[in-house]
Amino acid sequence: MLCVEDTLGVTGAAQIPPQRGEPPLDCAVRYTEERHWDVFPGTWLEPEAGTERCSCGDPACASPGAHATGPDWAQKVTGSAPAARRLWSERPRAAVLLPTGRTFDALDVPESAGFLALARMERMRLTLGPVTWTPDRRLLFFVLPGAALKVDGLVTGLGWVPAAIDLVTHGEGGYVAAPPTRLGGRGAVQWARRPTPANRWLPDADELISPLAYACGRDAAAERARKR
């Protein structure tokens, strides 16, 4: 992984740094070896009549090729590089999924709010962890575990109503898709801010919640104005 930090603007996906085209197996193994993250394989995309469908078989799948294969997914989680290599050798196209609530939680916001907050965080020289960008136009900020238990209280303390802003927390019992997982024909999950030795130590949600809540609140206000 690169050892330089990527500085992003607020203009969206055009600012995503170039990604290395690596197979899921290599990425899954790297996550276990370099970050000590747990991983597990998810669904994958299968060619069908000139298009692709999710291996789950549901033609209306909301996250084709990018979700757990069943409710027993937690039993497939591993932090072992050899085990990850074996799992993806059996299913080389499987999504790379990371359980949350263990080594990290993730703060999930709309793309526009995420890039605005990210630019502000960098100006403030805040400590940042890895950040992913998803094809459904979301940014996910990796933070220390436990965020899911306190984010609503932190947002309320800043004067925002949690239900009124689009800020979702992935914590214990959940998972997120990691690069290079593909989401149907919409594209692949990418790193907006790559994992590097410099961001091995994750921030607490308390440190990022102010710029994130502000950006999400501004987004929500703009959306309400458009609907008037």
Side-chain angles (χ1 to χ4, degrees):
M1 293 182 180
L2 299 181
C3 295
V4 295
E5 296 296 340
D6 300 297
T7 301
L8 303 176
V10 296
T11 54
Q15 297 297 318
I16 296 292
Q19 309 287 306
R20 294 187 293 182
E22 294 181 285
L25 184 153
D26 291 349
C27 291
V29 170
R30 178 176 293 110
Y31 297 149
T32 61
E33 289 182 333
E34 296 186 6
R35 302 298 291 201
H36 304 293
W37 288 342
D38 290 340
V39 298
F40 70 99
T43 54
W44 58 93
L45 295 172
E46 295 183 336
E48 183 181 80
T51 184
E52 292 178 308
R53 67 173 178 84
C54 185
S55 62
C56 72
D58 180 0
C61 180
S63 300
H67 63 87
T69 56
D72 62 343
W73 62 263
Q75 299 174 23
K76 303 172 185 177
V77 171
T78 182
S80 161
R85 188 175 299 279
R86 175 180 56 79
L87 288 168
W88 270 271
S89 294
E90 296 170 356
R91 296 178 176 177
R93 292 178 294 168
V96 180
L97 304 179
L98 311 176
T100 49
R102 300 186 181 204
T103 52
F104 65 86
D105 281 2
L107 304 179
D108 178 344
V109 301
E111 175 189 87
S112 54
F115 279 112
L116 175 63
L118 188 54
R120 188 179 181 195
M121 291 172 188
E122 290 178 338
R123 288 196 301 271
M124 296 168 66
R125 299 184 181 277
L126 296 180
T127 298
L128 290 169
V131 181
T132 60
W133 174 84
T134 71
D136 49 359
R137 302 173 68 95
R138 309 285 298 185
L139 259 65
L140 280 74
F141 292 73
F142 288 23
V143 296
L144 289 173
L149 299 175
K150 59 183 178 180
V151 161
D152 281 359
L154 293 171
V155 168
T156 301
L158 291 168
W160 301 97
V161 178
I165 64 173
D166 188 1
L167 197 166
V168 179
T169 309
H170 302 275
E172 186 174 359
Y175 63 84
V176 297
T181 299
R182 289 177 56 214
L183 184 61
R186 286 170 265 179
V189 179
Q190 301 180 55
W191 289 113
R193 191 179 180 91
R194 304 177 191 272
T196 72
N199 63 23
R200 182 172 299 279
W201 304 107
L202 299 177
D204 195 288
D206 305 57
E207 301 169 58
L208 307 187
I209 200 65
S210 179
L212 282 173
Y214 168 78
C216 288
R218 199 175 94 158
D219 246 25
E223 181 62 23
R224 288 193 296 271
R226 281 194 294 268
K227 292 179 177 179
R228 288 174 186 166

